[in-house]
Amino acid sequence: MLTKVHSGLDPAPGVWWKPAHKAEKVWVGIAFAWCMVLFAMMPLWHWKGGQNPSGIRRRVDPQKFFARTVEFATQYKIGEDRGIPIVAPPAGAEVYLTGMTYQWYPILQLQAGATYRLHMSSLDFNHGFSLYPMNVNFQVVPGYDYALQVTPTAAGDFRIICNEFCGIGHHTMVGRVIVVDGAGKPLADNAHAVIRDREAK
Amino acid sequence: MSTAAPAFPHRICPATGRVVAAAAEPLIKVNAVVAVVSLLIGAVAALLLVLTRWQAVHLLPAVWYYRILGVHGMNMLIFFIIYFEMAVLWFAGTILLNARPANPKLGWFSFGLMLAGTVLVEWAQWSGKADVLFTSYPPLQAHPLFYLGIILFAVGALTVTGLFFATLVIAKREQRYEGSVPLVVYGAVTAAIIAVITLLHGAIIYIPTFLWSIGLIKSIDPQIYRMIWWALGHSSQQINVAAMVAVWYMLSALTIGGVVLNEKVSRSAFVLYVLFISMASAHHLLVDPGFGPAWKIVNTSYFMYMAVLASMIHGFTVPAGMELGMRLRGYTDGLFGWLRRAPWGDPGFSALVFSVVVFGFVGGITGVTIGTEQINIIAHNTMRIPGHFHATVVSGTAMAFMGATYYLLPLVFQRKVAFWGLAKAQPYMFAIGMLLLSMGMTFAGSFGVPRRHWDISFSQALFDVQFNPAVDITLAVMGIGGILAVTGALSFIAIAVKSVFFGEKITTWETGKAIVGIPQGLTNPPVHVAHVDQLNDELHAESRGIAGATPGTLVLVAVFLLAFVVYYFTNWKLLSFLWKVG
Ligand code: HEM
Ligand SMILES: [Cu+2]
Ligand SMILES: [Cu+2]
């Protein structure tokens, strides 16, 4: 039984709870099934997939977190670039990264294929961890330690772009992550040009 | 429609025969006018932003880029959209029910509150006392009057929502209509219910933040702020969706005689919006440290993605209602004869079609995809995010509101639409521009270009970042699309202002004759064939099988689903190439 023909501007006839036409039922059925797929993919990826934003999450005092980062940086420091320590922790280490207006501290040097636990937090405002050119993004929130298991896949010279507005110097906030392969060299170095030119000065 | 003449001051609409309460009209008008003014500020800001994000142009200095970004967000997403929604509530509650507004005095007072709040916010933003963007994540702090302004605005909006419910009760009690409220009003009710939920979250978050800004509270937890703020921020998008869908049903009826296929299906879909909205803020927190995977998965999907289902249902019933409406008017040829022979020169109609198509194909698909827990890793805070919502709230909601305005001008303001030739072209400009802008942003974001960022050449940064050269192209597409869209928006504003303040008053009304400046849906109201119920039965005959009365729409939704599936799984594939993270 169809309701009498009417538009969305007309009051609906007394009883409008009428069975739908087959076409509508089929579409609702298909759409529902698709929604279940959308849902199922998320748990499935936790089980089978390699990229999940889970990690270990806990509250932390921003000052203490930064102190821990400094301690970590001193322990594994192997050099310096533009006044920021380059830190090479061993595979499997707990790695600390602090975002603050407007820099990422320290510079990390990781090995391709090795797994680390990367702790990220902020000393002041919200920041955004955006690993370039991988395009891996996480929110970095002051007062929260986000500890993610990460395994770099290939060597390269990466950047961390801050992609959460953190103040007027937000666009100057770029950090560096170096991933080396077995031979100890980054395979790609997208910093090349600028580093060369700055060294020339 | 109620036959008894109403006891309150009113006029009878010559085009539709509806009762237009005298007390309601000015409330609709004033909200619509302020909405357009906000749109003007937002659109000028938009132009400046586009010309800054287009790195080859890079117009504004850093401070002004961030400041104007805040101005654009507030004026567009909050002021323009919500003032217009207030107009929609007054319109749906009174004119669509032939009823009078509850307590118009309080209505004016609420409007005053909203206006006062708006002025405070504008002042704080323009004077540089609120350089915190519209999300104002603590510990970033703005001037207390910024938060106070938002609170006043929200209290005003909440009161209007309350008055809308009161108006419905009065309409029912005074028997202004028979049966159940029309579907369009039902959609508005949905929007209003969600508005209450949303605005309560707003109160929970803005009141403490205001107290913090004046020093009465020591600190605001940044993560809890993000959670509750987005319970406001995301739910309010569901208001926009519900209001937009209501406008879709309205424009469909007015422009081409679209019908409601099945009240049960459409109304149930609206109910799903209400039921599955409350913690949808999770979409915004998928890569935040404060929440575990179970919380994230449950709160984005409630196991079933029922809000998505609801939109997919409307995505079928709206075009199907249009198709059936056209077929019932005798346009029965082929699969798409109904579309080909539709009034594409009617800006109400073209706006409706673009709104449905861009919202669904671009906004909907990208939104569900990037709102997936893991896929968000490759989208969070990149340009993919503004790319997505300029296809939903802008190409969808704002476009639908623009289309509705072309009908409101003659119906409520009783003026002809000015610059009629421009008006016919306006939806095309705005929609095509927005589509380019959205796609440009989305692709730029896929290369990792961040949103809310002044300088992606990183000229002042410690380390260089060199984007793929393709990024220049995507940003140019965004830029050109943005300029076109702003031209469309400014045209709309020019048309609206000229019509309202200087437009030709419509005094007599003859149907059946095309008149420049009045959409054809009003001069030649769509009528169904005389034997409409019989034709309807024939179209739904068992023998026509699943294709039934709306075979064209079935094809369209099949294409939609295919695009959805392809886009969704492509993103999983891209994700799988990344570093292992967990
Ligand atoms: C008239 C055409 C429009 C153009 C060309 C435009 C363009 C832009 C641009 C370039 C951005 C900056 C993206 C970034 O740098 O992160 C932006 C942000 C935004 N736009 Fe629009 N926009 C338009 C209309 C609208 C409308 C009508 C709305 C809402 C209804 C809207 C809502 C927003 C919001 C909420 C943001 C984000 C602000 C933020 O990140 O704080 N826009 N828009
Ligand atoms: Cu930052
Ligand atoms: Cu930043």
Side-chain angles (χ1 to χ4, degrees):
Chain A
M1 234 323 272
L2 298 157
T3 41
K4 247 179 86 232
V5 172
H6 66 283
S7 87
L9 294 172
D10 306 320
V15 181
W16 44 261
W17 193 261
K18 300 272 167 66
H21 182 259
K22 218 187 308 172
E24 275 170 291
K25 284 188 192 153
V26 169
W27 174 249
V28 174
I30 292 174
F32 181 73
W34 174 238
C35 288
M36 294 307 282
V37 172
L38 296 176
F39 165 70
M41 277 307 287
M42 295 190 286
L44 192 68
W45 203 262
H46 275 281
W47 180 39
K48 290 281 185 196
Q51 296 78 16
N52 291 289
S54 330
I56 298 169
R57 308 155 313 275
R58 58 168 89 84
R59 284 182 200 248
V60 66
D61 175 64
Q63 297 295 341
K64 287 202 184 115
F65 185 88
F66 183 53
R68 182 74 191 88
T69 310
V70 173
E71 188 188 322
F72 155 79
T74 323
Q75 188 179 1
Y76 298 116
K77 179 171 168 179
I78 56 159
E80 223 179 77
D81 181 6
R82 273 153 270 198
I84 302 176
I86 301 178
V87 180
E94 304 283 320
V95 173
Y96 292 83
L97 179 72
T98 298
M100 64 191 105
T101 48
Y102 298 103
Q103 61 167 272
W104 294 100
Y105 181 95
I107 296 170
L108 302 172
Q109 179 169 315
L110 309 174
Q111 285 157 36
T115 299
Y116 305 84
R117 172 129 45 225
L118 173 61
H119 295 257
M120 294 186 283
S121 191
S122 161
L123 185 57
D124 39 42
F125 302 108
N126 272 276
H127 295 285
F129 172 96
S130 180
L131 187 73
Y132 181 84
M134 269 286 145
N135 200 11
V136 170
N137 305 279
F138 292 99
Q139 186 80 16
V140 177
V141 182
Y144 289 80
D145 175 357
Y146 203 169
L148 291 155
Q149 197 99 358
V150 299
T151 314
T153 44
D157 190 351
F158 297 88
R159 296 290 175 265
I160 310 168
I161 299 173
C162 177
N163 71 0
E164 182 59 82
F165 175 70
C166 54
I168 190 60
H170 161 57
H171 48 273
T172 64
M173 184 165 164
V174 176
R176 186 175 178 203
V177 176
I178 304 158
V179 178
V180 294
D181 62 8
K185 284 259 183 292
L187 291 178
D189 182 355
N190 63 19
H192 233 63
V194 165
I195 291 174
R196 227 184 15 239
D197 248 40
R198 285 198 184 149
E199 277 168 1
K201 272 188 207 152
Chain B
M1 224 170 279
S2 179
T3 40
F8 50 84
H10 68 281
R11 67 179 174 89
I12 300 290
C13 173
T16 61
R18 286 176 187 278
V19 172
V20 182
E25 247 180 329
L27 282 166
I28 300 171
K29 288 183 185 176
V30 75
N31 279 292
V33 167
V34 180
V36 171
V37 174
S38 312
L39 180 65
L40 174 62
I41 302 172
V44 172
L47 186 63
L48 298 172
L49 291 179
V50 153
L51 295 180
T52 306
R53 287 312 307 260
W54 189 356
Q55 192 71 29
V57 183
H58 211 224
L59 182 70
L60 293 176
V63 180
W64 278 98
Y65 163 74
Y66 293 119
R67 192 165 293 162
I68 292 294
L69 187 56
V71 166
H72 176 71
M74 274 321 272
N75 275 284
M76 289 300 210
L77 194 64
I78 313 295
F79 301 146
F80 160 56
I81 291 283
I82 296 184
Y83 278 115
F84 202 97
E85 278 161 357
M86 298 296 112
V88 168
L89 288 188
W90 286 120
F91 176 80
T94 61
I95 297 182
L96 291 185
L97 296 180
N98 301 302
R100 67 182 172 87
N103 204 338
K105 277 216 185 81
L106 188 55
W108 282 101
F109 178 73
S110 315
F111 171 74
L113 278 183
M114 293 174 72
L115 199 61
T118 308
V119 170
L120 287 182
V121 170
E122 299 284 356
W123 167 79
Q125 288 197 317
W126 286 100
S127 62
K129 294 195 163 45
D131 287 339
V132 293
L133 305 187
F134 80 104
T135 42
S136 58
Y137 296 138
L140 290 175
Q141 197 180 58
H143 193 284
L145 291 181
F146 172 74
Y147 304 111
L148 187 65
I150 294 174
I151 292 170
L152 291 181
F153 181 84
V155 170
L158 192 57
T159 313
V160 174
T161 312
L163 289 173
F164 170 69
F165 291 121
T167 301
L168 294 182
V169 172
I170 292 176
K172 180 92 205 165
R173 198 186 307 139
E174 295 180 354
Q175 299 180 341
R176 303 302 312 155
Y177 62 92
E178 279 156 25
S180 305
V181 294
L183 182 59
V184 173
V185 179
Y186 196 87
V189 173
T190 312
I193 294 172
I194 301 171
V196 173
I197 301 171
T198 301
L199 292 165
L200 289 178
H201 283 111
I204 296 173
I205 200 59
Y206 273 107
I207 292 171
T209 308
F210 170 66
L211 296 177
W212 168 67
S213 73
I214 57 175
L216 286 181
I217 288 182
K218 254 186 67 200
S219 69
I220 298 279
D221 184 289
Q223 183 71 84
I224 292 174
Y225 177 94
R226 278 173 59 78
M227 178 178 85
I228 303 174
W229 195 90
W230 280 112
L232 157 77
H234 189 87
S235 315
S236 66
Q237 300 319 304
Q238 214 72 20
I239 310 177
N240 300 338
V241 171
M244 171 189 75
V245 174
V247 170
W248 284 354
Y249 283 112
M250 179 178 87
L251 283 175
S252 153
L254 286 173
T255 56
I256 55 169
V259 299
V260 180
L261 289 186
N262 184 290
E263 293 279 355
K264 177 178 73 174
V265 173
S266 294
R267 288 177 195 235
S268 304
F270 275 124
V271 172
L272 289 180
Y273 281 147
V274 179
L275 294 181
F276 289 88
I277 178 64
S278 60
M279 282 306 284
S281 67
H283 292 115
H284 299 258
L285 311 171
L286 291 172
V287 295
D288 270 37
F291 317 92
W295 186 92
K296 289 171 180 173
I297 293 179
V298 169
N299 286 298
T300 36
S301 66
Y302 287 111
F303 307 105
M304 297 180 282
Y305 276 110
M306 281 302 186
V308 174
L309 179 67
S311 287
M312 286 177 76
I313 293 175
H314 290 303
F316 176 85
T317 57
V318 170
M322 290 162 67
E323 174 171 0
L324 183 56
M326 285 294 279
R327 286 182 190 277
L328 292 176
R329 290 168 63 200
Y331 302 110
T332 48
D333 47 325
L335 268 184
F336 294 114
W338 58 281
L339 256 188
R340 240 187 348 266
R341 295 166 63 175
W344 290 93
D346 175 349
F349 177 77
S350 56
L352 165 64
V353 173
F354 294 138
S355 175
V356 174
V357 171
V358 182
F359 178 87
F361 276 83
V362 186
I365 292 179
T366 59
V368 175
T369 304
I370 63 184
T372 302
E373 190 202 4
Q374 294 90 347
I375 295 175
N376 194 250
I377 295 174
I378 53 174
H380 181 69
N381 275 355
T382 68
M383 285 292 265
R384 288 181 76 176
I385 306 300
H388 152 69
F389 64 70
H390 282 86
T392 52
V393 69
V394 188
S395 306
T397 307
M399 180 92 267
F401 287 178
M402 288 174 178
T405 304
Y406 293 117
Y407 276 77
L408 289 184
L409 286 173
L411 287 176
V412 177
F413 289 86
Q414 294 171 276
R415 307 270 180 178
K416 286 191 186 168
V417 179
F419 306 125
W420 183 239
L422 184 63
K424 287 177 157 183
Q426 190 273 337
Y428 292 83
M429 275 193 271
F430 191 74
I432 294 170
M434 253 319 140
L435 192 59
L436 292 175
L437 175 106
S438 263
M439 302 215 308
M441 283 178 164
T442 300
F443 285 113
S446 308
F447 287 104
V449 175
R451 71 182 285 201
R452 297 181 155 181
H453 199 284
W454 176 64
D455 179 22
I456 59 154
S457 73
F458 295 93
S459 56
Q460 300 161 12
L462 215 43
F463 304 101
D464 72 318
V465 179
Q466 265 142 25
F467 281 108
N468 188 314
V471 163
D472 293 335
I473 301 172
T474 62
L475 291 179
V477 170
M478 173 201 78
I480 293 164
I483 292 170
L484 188 59
V486 170
T487 312
L490 294 178
S491 307
F492 171 78
I493 295 162
I495 292 163
V497 170
K498 173 94 193 284
S499 315
V500 168
F501 295 106
F502 313 103
E504 193 184 327
K505 200 121 181 89
I506 300 172
T507 43
T508 55
W509 198 297
E510 268 175 80
T511 46
K513 201 173 97 207
I515 301 172
V516 172
I518 302 183
Q520 55 80 36
L522 298 176
T523 52
N524 290 291
V527 267
H528 297 136
V529 295
H531 56 289
V532 52
D533 283 326
Q534 184 199 336
L535 181 56
N536 189 36
D537 285 340
E538 278 166 26
L539 286 171
H540 284 94
E542 201 67 45
S543 60
R544 290 176 61 101
I546 162 101
T550 57
T553 302
L554 273 185
V555 173
L556 295 179
V557 295
V559 173
F560 168 79
L561 189 63
L562 189 69
F564 201 162
V565 172
V566 169
Y567 186 81
Y568 182 71
F569 284 110
T570 306
N571 273 278
W572 282 109
K573 189 77 202 164
L574 291 175
L575 181 72
S576 70
F577 298 140
L578 301 184
W579 289 11
K580 296 270 175 297
V581 183

